[in-house]
Amino acid sequence: MKKLLLLVPPYIAFDSFKSPLFTERNNSINTDMPLGGISISAYVKKYSKADVKIIDFNPLLYARDPQNLDSYDKFFEDELAANSEFIPDAIGISILFTASYSASISLAHACKKVFPRSFIFAGGGVPTSMYRYMFKTSSPFDALSYGEGERPISRLLNADNIDHFVNEDPSWITPEKSKDLSFEPKHDWIFDLDEIPTYDYETLNIPDYAIAPVCAGFTSHSETKVIFNMATSRGCPYRCTFCASHDVHGYTMRYHSRERMYSDIRLLKEKFGCQRIAIQDDHFMGDHKRAKDIIRFIKDMDIQVFFQSGVTMFSLTRDMLELMVESGINEIVLPIESGSERIAKDVMKKGHVSKKIVHRVVKDCRELGIQMDGNVLCGMPGETEADIQEGIDFLKTLDVNWYRIHVATPLPGSELFDECVEKGYIDEDGHIGGDYKRAKITTEDFTPDYIERRAYEMNLELNFVNNADFRLGLYEKAYSAFQNVINITTEHAFAYYFAALCLERLGRITQYNNYAEIFNRISISSSYWQSYIIRFSLKKQLKIKESLFRDESKLEELLVSAPVSGLLTQLSTPT
């Protein structure tokens, strides 16, 4: 029996882990279950009879103190050495995004030290889109798997001679093949997704996936409540210019059958005691009736469900939102992307979205009590300052609870990436490490530094100065969001300022004074915050008021921890 070791490198570059930007939360490591790995594991166990082990470095890194690591190199070698009793015939490294690229190269070198006789390959979005670049830059991999990996990797493990096999199989790319400009690798998509067995959750250390930042956003969170990730379909028919998922999964929608999904969900409940499922389809609501049936079944199984992706604005009809509320879904990410209709339709090619639809969905969510985070991208090529301002003006008219402001990132395989290369907006290596926080694109209108600064200013303007909950007089809810930011960083002047205003309106004067004093100190000592205080016309000092309580022993009663405002705020609050 052959052995396959599947490795999931950190989703975060080492510099971001070691020294996060001021605008980043500490330890923002994504610890979702690696769906690609557990799907491949299930498939090759059935069709190749191979033994499979998965090491996901993200929960392992989450538990490490950044100050105790000087690089990923020793971390990788130590973890691999700790598992050296499992000697693999082949080692596969998943590279989904370029933020993981440098770590993946380091991990491959570590594999060669610990397992010098193993065949080492990579798969995922980056190898599929960047295979020529990878081999041109002296990649340490023996081969790259193209597109979806279940069938190609199963064939690899069934081969008598792996080296000969990868040279012949059209879904595998070798250094030699990549030099042949006439060579075009072939997808081997599985059109009947039920061919893939149930995700191999058992190969994971399941308690590791209760520490994820997305888990901590639930008010009922405890370390025993794991979020089980799941995808019920593959593919997406839309052609948003910033998206690259089609490079791996294509534009044609493919689905697991309802019966198969019901079986998998029932198994999660009965075997693992599942209480939460996060659906990660690219386009879950491609079939509206099917989506409703699956949501109802999850509800009937007494499981909480939420969507990290996979919804479109027009698919969020009133009846769909009502069903989601009935099923316990009270938080959602809205893919608004831009408040400028020109940018949304002409630049991003989101022709299926309009301001009218966005207004209607936000209004319905408010009426139904659904917490909303709005996704927004800043810095697309062709975007001007006038477009950005138009977008801000529109977004300020919406009652979205919180906005997730990202910088446009050229993902290999996306139309955005091709445009940036063609027009010289990024250099050959400039896209490596793109993570939606660090801008990489230089256009005729913007520099990367400008876009990072402008995106942060949008965050301050939309989430603090014009916070919808504060504007609507929902001071407890607004305070919870501002307190969330304070929990992440203790030096955020705007969070203290607006939290103090909420506390004043709620009559919590002692706590108001505490936060006002902290804001006053920051506003005097920080030139960084002074510039923003002036720009947004905040008071330079908050007046300290006479406390309602002379007895400071009452302070503890007032300084109660704010309730967590919800999954999406905890996950996405920009700091």
Side-chain angles (χ1 to χ4, degrees), residues 6-47:
L6 293 175
L7 303 178
V8 184
Y11 296 130
I12 185 171
F14 182 75
D15 288 346
S16 296
F17 173 69
K18 182 79 171 182
S19 304
L21 297 174
F22 174 76
T23 55
E24 294 179 287
R25 65 162 58 214
N26 290 324
N27 214 347
S28 58
I29 300 165
N30 183 342
T31 51
D32 291 344
M33 290 180 171
L35 291 187
I38 58 178
S39 177
I40 290 168
S41 177
Y43 195 90
V44 300
K45 283 181 177 179
K46 178 175 181 179
Y47 295 101

Side-chain angles (χ1 to χ4, degrees), residues 125 128-129 146-148 187-191 233-240 243-254 282-283 413:
T128 297
S129 304
Y146 186 76
E148 295 176 353
H187 284 285
D188 192 355
W189 285 313
I190 298 173
F191 287 95
S233 67
R234 292 181 180 179
C236 179
Y238 299 108
R239 298 180 183 247
C240 303
C243 182
S245 67
H246 62 272
D247 228 31
V248 174
H249 298 304
Y251 292 110
T252 301
M253 291 300 302
R254 293 167 287 145
D282 287 323
H283 187 36

